Amino acid sequence: MKEMIELMNKMTQDAFENSRRLAEINQSAMEKLMAQQVALMDAWVETGVKNLELVGKAKGYQDVVAGQAELAREYGQKLMAGGKSCAEVLTEAREATVKLVDTAIKS
């Protein structure tokens, strides 16, 4: 009976430790994703401000169109970089989770 209780205690401790590690992986991923979301929001606001400045300083319709095309290109590049970075964060979290599950299964 004592061995069974010890086994149950070990299983409970292992499950708790694995849950804690998984929570750490998720927390780290969420912090990184939130930081990237803030950076993308900053880029959006910055692009909006630049657009307003452009419209105010433009001498004609063609200047506005050319300037907006350049702003769209710059913002698009920032979005693509942000998307790539988010994919890297998610891949890192997936790999850490797979490693955790593999370790848990082996023990």
Side-chain angles (χ1 to χ4, degrees):
M1 181 73 171
K2 183 179 177 183
E3 291 174 5
M4 195 163 186
I5 291 172
E6 288 175 5
L7 181 61
M8 290 297 288
N9 283 340
K10 181 172 178 356
M11 286 174 47
T12 301
Q13 289 173 350
D14 289 347
F16 177 76
E17 184 62 26
N18 288 331
S19 296
R20 186 188 61 76
R21 287 187 204 144
L22 182 58
E24 288 173 357
I25 293 167
N26 287 333
Q27 180 179 355
S28 175
M30 287 304 296
E31 287 172 357
K32 291 174 184 176
L33 290 172
M34 289 302 294
Q36 291 175 4
Q37 189 69 22
V38 168
L40 289 174
M41 191 64 160
D42 287 345
W44 179 75
V45 170
E46 180 184 333
T47 301
V49 169
K50 286 181 180 179
N51 186 49
L52 289 175
E53 290 173 351
L54 171 70
V55 170
K57 294 178 183 178
K59 295 179 182 171
Y61 178 72
Q62 291 180 351
D63 291 341
V64 173
V65 172
Q68 287 179 336
E70 178 62 21
L71 287 174
R73 185 190 62 76
E74 289 174 8
Y75 186 63
Q77 288 176 343
K78 290 177 184 177
L79 284 176
M80 291 297 290
K84 181 180 177 185
S85 185
C86 286
E88 290 170 357
V89 168
L90 293 173
T91 298
E92 179 183 311
R94 179 184 53 87
E95 289 172 356
T97 301
V98 167
K99 183 178 177 182
L100 175 65
V101 170
D102 285 345
T103 302
I105 289 172
K106 290 176 183 175
S107 64

